[in-house]
Amino acid sequence: MSKLGDLGAKLYRGEVGYDFVGKRMLWYAVSILITITAIVALAVQGLNMGIEFKGGAVFTTPKTDVTVAKATEVAEEASGHVAIVQKLGNGTMRIQVSGLDTDQANGVKTKIAADLGMKEQDVNADLVGPSWGEQIANKAWTGLAVFMVLVVVYLAIAFEWRMAVAALIALIHDLTITVGIYALVGFEVTPGTVIGLLTILGYSLYDTVVVFDGLKEASKDITKQTRYTYSEMANRSLNGTLVRSINTTVVALLPVAGLLFIGGGFLGAGMLNDISLSLFVGLAAGAYSSIFIATPLVADLKEREPAMKALRKRVLAKRASGARDEEPEGTEEGTEVVAQARAGRAAGRRR
């Protein structure tokens, strides 16, 4: 067995582990800081909406040796608007100019062809109306709302409402971070971006549902024992699926990274940038939230139940009575609970 496989087996059996749930306040603080940064970026810089949402013209040139800087200068001078120029992998160029109507687009096309030394008929011009982008955005919002409702309903039925709430918060967390990254780096938001954002919703839920399923099974008869509190059981379930979560996330990120850094960076494929950045950030944020947000939130909500409070008292009492062989290993929360129990017992003796 490999070292990683051996570590995974030990995590699954509870022989080793990291106290993710016990340190939940730290993870909450980190997530809140990241989320606030994303919201500030959105408020200050806003999103760089693509031409599909603003309307305008897209000019595609034949293969050329003209530099991006030169093409940008020519397009902006010809149109009087800001131009976005991309060098595509086959040597052609894609020039986007917002705010042009049909007559203006024809004139700009003629000027671009003349200034760049091309035949006018070789320059393709496509006019995009803003209404099309509005339809895409409205359908995306509708799809997002329906997806969220279905997720909450399904998780509430398959697991319980606390897990549904935790998963929903984790999803909102992932989407906020992904959109905030777009605002920070200035990547253009296109229909490809919308597709990527809707795609990551499923990936974000994958690891979360795996952990929740293991936790549901492990905590089925949790009130009939006095070995672990609910938070400790949640932490054990999380550690048991940790290596699996890391492996699946890395495997999913590798091809997406290839699209982002090779396809988008070196080949200059614009649509690949739009989809791959949202997928890359969303996958990473989803893996983070399933480990550091969703499961600790479930533990917080469950520990408020009277049954779980009574269980915690019984576990403390059992440990205080000297049953050291039942003390949970490898979690800081368990160690803290035992220390509190011992301190309480010593105070009782002094009285």
Side-chain angles (χ1 to χ4, degrees):
M1 184 182 292
S2 66
K3 291 183 178 179
L4 186 60
D6 184 54
L7 175 61
K10 289 181 178 180
L11 286 168
Y12 182 78
R13 293 192 298 266
E15 296 174 5
V16 296
Y18 183 79
D19 194 10
F20 294 102
V21 177
K23 295 181 179 295
R24 54 186 175 271
M25 292 304 172
L26 173 61
W27 314 134
Y28 294 165
V30 171
S31 296
I32 290 173
L33 179 61
I34 295 174
T35 304
I36 290 175
T37 302
I39 293 174
V40 170
L42 282 169
V44 175
Q45 295 186 209
L47 291 172
N48 179 22
M49 305 303 292
I51 195 172
E52 294 85 356
F53 296 98
K54 295 186 295 185
V58 180
F59 305 96
T60 305
T61 71
K63 186 176 181 179
T64 178
D65 294 329
V66 176
T67 63
V68 171
K70 176 63 177 177
T72 302
E73 180 183 348
V74 168
E76 290 182 348
E77 182 180 345
S79 64
H81 297 275
V82 175
I84 299 175
V85 180
Q86 291 176 310
K87 190 87 169 181
L88 305 181
N90 56 2
T92 63
M93 282 186 174
R94 184 173 185 264
I95 304 172
Q96 296 181 191
V97 183
S98 301
L100 297 181
D101 56 26
T102 303
D103 294 336
Q104 292 173 322
N106 290 333
V108 172
K109 174 184 174 181
T110 302
K111 184 94 165 88
I112 287 176
D115 290 350
L116 296 182
M118 303 172 182
K119 294 180 180 180
E120 184 175 348
Q121 59 267 28
D122 291 337
V123 178
N124 183 47
D126 294 315
L127 200 64
V128 180
S131 60
W132 186 78
E134 290 178 4
Q135 292 176 6
I136 293 292
N138 291 334
K139 290 180 180 179
W141 281 114
T142 302
L144 179 61
V146 171
F147 178 85
M148 292 290 193
V149 171
L150 292 177
V151 164
V152 171
V153 171
Y154 170 76
L155 291 179
I157 295 174
F159 299 102
E160 60 174 293
W161 69 266
R162 294 166 188 81
M163 292 184 176
V165 170
L168 180 62
I169 292 174
L171 275 177
I172 295 173
H173 167 272
D174 299 340
L175 286 173
T176 303
I177 289 177
T178 305
V179 176
I181 293 294
Y182 264 84
L184 283 173
V185 301
F187 262 44
E188 191 175 37
V189 177
T190 67
T193 305
V194 176
I195 294 171
L197 288 174
L198 295 177
T199 303
I200 67 172
L201 298 177
Y203 283 110
S204 298
L205 281 174
Y206 177 77
D207 286 337
T208 303
V209 171
V210 168
V211 176
F212 284 178
D213 186 61
L215 178 55
K216 178 185 176 182
E217 186 67 26
S219 61
K220 186 180 297 183
D221 298 317
I222 190 172
T223 56
K224 296 180 181 179
Q225 55 83 51
T226 55
R227 184 175 177 84
Y228 303 108
T229 65
Y230 188 90
S231 291
E232 292 164 359
M233 190 66 74
N235 196 69
R236 285 171 62 86
S237 297
L238 184 54
N239 277 279
T241 58
L242 182 62
V243 172
R244 176 180 176 178
S245 297
I246 293 174
N247 285 338
T248 54
T249 301
V250 170
V251 169
L253 281 175
L254 286 176
V256 176
L259 287 174
L260 179 60
F261 299 110
I262 297 176
F266 294 104
L267 300 181
M271 183 62 73
L272 291 180
N273 277 341
D274 304 335
I275 297 177
S276 58
L277 179 63
S278 59
L279 286 177
F280 188 86
V281 177
L283 283 171
Y288 170 84
S289 65
S290 66
I291 296 172
F292 298 100
I293 303 298
T295 306
L297 272 176
V298 170
D300 264 339
L301 293 172
K302 288 290 289 185
E303 289 286 3
R304 299 172 186 270
E305 292 183 359
M308 296 303 119
K309 290 180 180 179
L311 173 63
R312 176 173 285 274
K313 289 181 180 179
R314 292 198 302 272
V315 171
L316 282 172
K318 185 71 173 178
R319 292 172 184 171
S321 68
R324 298 188 177 209
D325 57 324
E326 294 187 357
E327 293 178 6
E329 299 175 0
T331 65
E332 291 186 8
E333 182 174 347
T335 303
E336 181 180 352
V337 168
V338 172
Q340 291 174 355
R342 289 174 177 169
R345 182 176 58 180
R349 287 176 179 172
R350 287 196 296 271
R351 290 195 296 269

